[in-house]
Amino acid sequence: RNITTGLAYGFGVWGGSYNTTIINYWGEQQRHTVTIGDNDGVNLFTKVMGSHADQARNSGFDSHSASMFTEFIGNTVVMPAVTESAEGITMQGAHAKVIGCTVRNTPGLGIYYQPYVPVEDTFLASGNHVHFRVGASPVTGVGVYAYLDPTSGTSTIAGVTITDNHFYGNTGTAGYHVYVNNEKTSGVIRKVTVTGNKSIDPALTYAAFIRSNGTSTEVRKVTLSHNHFASDGTRAVFLLASETSSLIDTAIVTANTLDGGSTANIGIEATGGGSSIATVTEDNNTFVNGGKLYNLSGTTTGLKLKSARHETAVTITNATYTLTPLQDTIIANRAGTVTITL
């Protein structure tokens, strides 16, 4: 416990440890209640279970780059009512898992995955509950954030699985419930699976944001399925390849329930920017309290749209007409020849 400065550590796992388990540990007003990894050896197979970080002044539980196969299971973090931006749980080591944890009152990132290990990496966030700070928040809130940043030691994340997490409360002046972001030059994130997650309260920007945002970056094999996402922003789900030569390849968006919050908002958007999004399959999604189910812009190829929801009937009054997707009922109201391009 450290009431004065909030800079002390609780339990540290360092020095190249092996097979360490911490159970039912408690800390208050510490920088980290449990911290794993340093620069003097790789810490392997560490588990922290059933522990509590109260009034955490930084990440309640964190693992640094000198850690591999770390698991945080069934832990809770309560953030203090202060203005600094802090994460609930941070993972920087390879092959990290956050399972069944709860983060309360976070002003920023609930669960933050930022790999720095120069190996192909994997990450799992499953069954967690993230509660954003109630009321006005000073920063962007993100429930689960997987980020391959420009200085990361690895160029490849081999798998990101974000499943069965729940998100509550305000996400700040902007915010997301699930955010996967690649900003590493020539970096690759592949096999992104986002399934079974639920927005208890709406995100303020996008509920799910998959972004390839650096030169020659790639996000491949993306699946978003069986989620219940709600957003008060312009889009519920946004796939974005925003830089020259960036790419999102093979995206499947299926069996989701999306709440748009306004008829001006979009359920699913895929934007190629200066590059491309290739092979997008959209199937069996439901969109309520919103406008268009989907929107496409930029370079997007191999599109397959299958959801049952259709636009209203279209009356054609000009001589030539190009159907927009899902307009399968048309009425020709013109004397003479009508040419329709599908």
Side-chain angles (χ1 to χ4, degrees), residues 203-225:
L204 291 191
T205 309
Y206 321 129
F209 191 16
I210 311 299
R211 188 181 193 190
S212 189
N213 190 38
T215 303
S216 300
T217 58
E218 297 182 5
V219 179
R220 293 184 173 274
K221 296 182 179 179
V222 178
T223 300
L224 293 97
S225 70

Side-chain angles (χ1 to χ4, degrees), residues 101-152:
C101 293
T102 298
V103 178
R104 294 186 178 274
N105 204 36
T106 179
L109 310 181
I111 297 170
Y112 184 25
Y113 171 58
Q114 183 187 27
Y116 279 114
V117 180
V119 297
E120 287 198 4
D121 212 343
T122 58
F123 172 65
L124 169 68
S126 178
N128 302 289
H129 295 258
V130 177
H131 299 251
F132 297 98
R133 177 170 298 163
V134 175
S137 182
V139 296
T140 297
V142 184
V144 178
Y145 186 27
Y147 181 35
L148 189 57
D149 76 27
T151 63
S152 177

Side-chain angles (χ1 to χ4, degrees), residues 310-332:
H310 301 284
E311 305 292 343
T312 56
V314 178
T315 300
I316 298 175
T317 58
N318 54 348
T320 61
Y321 192 82
T322 300
L323 284 181
T324 60
L326 298 190
Q327 289 178 337
D328 64 345
T329 303
I330 56 177
I331 302 170

Side-chain angles (χ1 to χ4, degrees), residues 254-323:
T254 182
N256 300 284
T257 299
L258 309 174
D259 189 331
S262 167
T263 56
N265 296 334
I266 297 164
I268 304 162
E269 175 154 332
T271 298
S275 49
S276 66
I277 297 178
T279 315
V280 178
T281 299
E282 178 277 325
D283 187 16
N284 197 31
N285 295 288
T286 301
F287 188 37
V288 298
N289 300 320
K292 294 191 293 184
L293 172 61
Y294 63 87
N295 187 61
L296 308 173
S297 62
T299 305
T300 306
T301 62
L303 186 66
K304 301 175 183 178
L305 301 165
K306 300 180 181 179
S307 282
R309 173 175 167 171
H310 301 284
E311 305 292 343
T312 56
V314 178
T315 300
I316 298 175
T317 58
N318 54 348
T320 61
Y321 192 82
T322 300
L323 284 181

